[in-house]
Amino acid sequence: MSIRYPNGKIFQGSSNIPIESKKKFSYSNRGMTLEEDINVTNHYYLERQIAVIHKKPTPVQIVNVDYPKRSAAVIKEAYFKQASTTDYNGVYKGRYIDFEAKETKNKTSFPLQNFHDHQILHMKNVKAQSGICFVILRFATTEEVFFLEADHLFLFWERQKKGGRKSISKSEIAEKGHMIPIGFQPRIDYISIIDTFYFK
Amino acid sequence: MSIRYPNGKIFQGSSNIPIESKKKFSYSNRGMTLEEDINVTNHYYLERQIAVIHKKPTPVQIVNVDYPKRSAAVIKEAYFKQASTTDYNGVYKGRYIDFEAKETKNKTSFPLQNFHDHQILHMKNVKAQSGICFVILRFATTEEVFFLEADHLFLFWERQKKGGRKSISKSEIAEKGHMIPIGFQPRIDYISIIDTFYFK
């Protein structure tokens, strides 16, 4: 008999397993996207009162809405809008947290086309207000996840603007960023990185 | 000839006018909703690098999307979802800012039905993380706007839960909250209240 969480997900192991043996867990082919993993992580943080971080809703331009009698309004025509900010924000120990999460199937570098000018501008605005701002980058094939502070992303972005390479090499990410511990609970423990670099 | 801003809005006066004479400006019947006023205010804060505060997109459950050839994806069926958080959040001087804005046509009290349990819970979570959390309440008929700290809202909410009144009287709001200065730029200067109570 499989044990299930209240959300219906099957329980696949104990979180009391020592870290060493945890690493042997295979997270491959779980069919979880980075977004799902981060949502589960944020839910964990929220339930344990560790942090309050939410994904923003997808921005949609609503054109036509139908209001049928005795039932809910139906949006009949709408279009996806480009987001003017990053996808995730919230609060940890009073500080403002803001980040974007992206993954690539590339093996040796992360394409900068995953980001847009307006997102970079938003991140610069956040940094100017002393917010904690970063990106979470996942290499899908190896399932390695990195935390890269926005200031480093800005430098790689500028390099591209000046005609330099259109991606960040994995070794650069490993050097300037921090590998995020991947576990069972929380899945992608980015708060542990923030703790180390902002609260110690 | 009227002078217009880049966004097409007509320029109606100089922001260099001393505060005393500014007060004589009439803001009635401008046809601006509280949401529009706050968006304009947030835009002002952003441009002047005072704060980075955005309204979250309306959450929508997308059911059916059409992908026509050579044109943008069209959402053909979608439904409004209830938001699980407040509408506005962002960063000011490194601190996390989170608020909801509501208006009423009532003259003497603010109905608590403008808020929902899940929003109150979200605000409590934010306070537990030392975020700055409040509501902006506007009385539409008098155009008075108040800043009410979330902790006070929680008490009025509890009173209702215990069978007490289903609204906050205007005199209670005036006593526990702070009237927000209404001006030309910024329209609803809630940051000035935050400055006074959190950064002095």
Side-chain angles (χ1 to χ4, degrees):
Chain A
M1 195 194 90
S2 57
I3 301 165
R4 283 173 190 271
Y5 283 104
N7 66 5
K9 292 227 167 69
I10 294 170
F11 176 73
Q12 295 180 316
S14 162
S15 60
N16 296 322
I17 295 165
I19 287 167
E20 276 313 299
S21 46
K22 259 200 198 174
K23 281 185 180 160
K24 289 174 196 156
F25 267 75
S26 171
Y27 290 96
S28 42
N29 301 318
R30 288 168 308 151
M32 295 286 279
T33 63
L34 178 58
E35 180 181 324
E36 287 168 329
D37 273 347
I38 289 176
N39 287 345
V40 169
T41 301
N42 289 343
H43 187 73
Y44 174 90
Y45 289 151
L46 186 64
E47 288 212 317
R48 306 283 172 114
Q49 299 217 304
I50 293 167
V52 182
I53 318 276
H54 289 277
K55 183 175 187 296
K56 291 188 181 182
T58 304
V60 156
Q61 179 72 49
I62 297 164
V63 175
N64 186 15
V65 184
D66 204 24
Y67 298 92
K69 278 180 189 168
R70 281 185 285 275
S71 61
V74 189
I75 298 162
K76 289 289 195 183
E77 185 186 356
Y79 298 89
F80 294 102
K81 278 198 297 188
Q82 199 165 52
S84 54
T85 65
T86 48
D87 272 357
Y88 301 88
N89 72 0
V91 57
Y92 175 60
K93 294 182 181 171
R95 293 288 300 274
Y96 177 74
I97 306 292
D98 191 299
F99 66 95
E100 187 67 36
K102 295 287 183 188
E103 61 188 324
T104 184
K105 287 176 181 166
N106 285 15
K107 285 176 184 171
T108 57
S109 68
F110 208 96
L112 284 162
Q113 67 185 12
N114 279 288
F115 301 98
H116 303 284
D117 272 314
H118 59 271
Q119 288 180 318
I120 301 290
L121 177 62
H122 170 72
M123 291 191 244
K124 285 184 175 174
N125 288 333
V126 167
K127 289 294 297 184
Q129 278 300 322
S130 311
I132 294 172
C133 189
F134 55 94
V135 289
I136 292 177
L137 307 176
R138 173 148 80 177
F139 287 92
T141 52
T142 57
E143 302 205 343
E144 288 165 294
V145 184
F146 292 92
F147 178 110
L148 185 67
E149 235 278 328
D151 285 333
H152 292 296
L153 178 65
F154 301 156
L155 294 175
F156 295 123
W157 191 258
E158 291 310 315
R159 180 175 69 182
Q160 177 196 31
K161 291 276 165 188
K162 288 174 184 157
R165 62 180 292 172
K166 292 177 171 30
S167 66
I168 317 172
S169 77
K170 193 167 165 181
S171 59
E172 286 171 331
I173 294 170
E175 186 199 335
K176 303 294 185 187
H178 314 283
M179 194 176 271
I180 303 179
I182 305 301
F184 181 66
Q185 275 191 331
R187 291 268 173 82
I188 296 179
D189 191 11
Y190 62 87
I191 288 286
S192 68
I193 307 287
I194 293 174
D195 246 346
T196 306
F197 292 94
Y198 291 88
F199 293 95
K200 272 183 186 152
Chain B
M1 196 195 92
S2 56
I3 301 165
R4 284 172 189 270
Y5 283 104
N7 65 5
K9 292 227 169 67
I10 293 170
F11 176 73
Q12 297 180 314
S14 164
S15 60
N16 296 323
I17 296 166
I19 288 168
E20 277 312 298
S21 47
K22 259 200 200 175
K23 281 184 179 161
K24 290 174 194 157
F25 268 74
S26 171
Y27 290 96
S28 42
N29 300 316
R30 288 169 307 152
M32 296 286 278
T33 64
L34 178 59
E35 181 182 322
E36 287 169 328
D37 273 347
I38 289 176
N39 287 346
V40 169
T41 300
N42 289 343
H43 187 73
Y44 173 90
Y45 289 150
L46 186 65
E47 288 211 318
R48 306 284 173 114
Q49 300 216 303
I50 294 166
V52 182
I53 318 276
H54 289 277
K55 183 177 188 294
K56 290 189 181 182
T58 304
V60 157
Q61 180 71 49
I62 296 164
V63 175
N64 185 15
V65 183
D66 204 23
Y67 297 92
K69 278 180 189 167
R70 279 184 287 275
S71 60
V74 188
I75 298 163
K76 289 288 196 183
E77 186 186 356
Y79 298 89
F80 294 102
K81 279 198 296 188
Q82 200 165 52
S84 54
T85 66
T86 48
D87 272 357
Y88 301 88
N89 73 359
V91 57
Y92 175 61
K93 293 182 181 171
R95 293 288 300 275
Y96 177 74
I97 306 293
D98 191 299
F99 66 95
E100 186 67 36
K102 294 287 184 189
E103 60 188 326
T104 184
K105 287 176 180 168
N106 284 17
K107 286 177 185 171
T108 57
S109 69
F110 208 96
L112 284 162
Q113 66 184 15
N114 279 289
F115 302 97
H116 304 284
D117 273 313
H118 59 270
Q119 286 180 320
I120 301 290
L121 177 62
H122 169 73
M123 290 191 244
K124 285 184 175 173
N125 288 334
V126 167
K127 289 294 297 183
Q129 277 300 322
S130 311
I132 295 172
C133 190
F134 55 94
V135 288
I136 292 177
L137 307 176
R138 173 149 78 177
F139 287 93
T141 53
T142 58
E143 302 205 345
E144 288 165 294
V145 184
F146 293 92
F147 178 111
L148 185 68
E149 235 278 328
D151 285 332
H152 292 296
L153 178 66
F154 300 156
L155 295 175
F156 295 122
W157 191 258
E158 292 310 316
R159 181 176 70 182
Q160 177 196 32
K161 290 276 166 190
K162 287 173 186 159
R165 61 180 294 171
K166 292 178 172 30
S167 65
I168 318 171
S169 77
K170 192 166 164 181
S171 60
E172 286 172 330
I173 293 170
E175 186 199 335
K176 303 293 185 188
H178 313 283
M179 193 176 273
I180 302 179
I182 305 301
F184 181 66
Q185 274 190 331
R187 291 268 172 83
I188 296 179
D189 191 11
Y190 62 87
I191 288 285
S192 67
I193 308 287
I194 294 173
D195 247 345
T196 306
F197 292 94
Y198 292 88
F199 293 95
K200 273 184 185 155

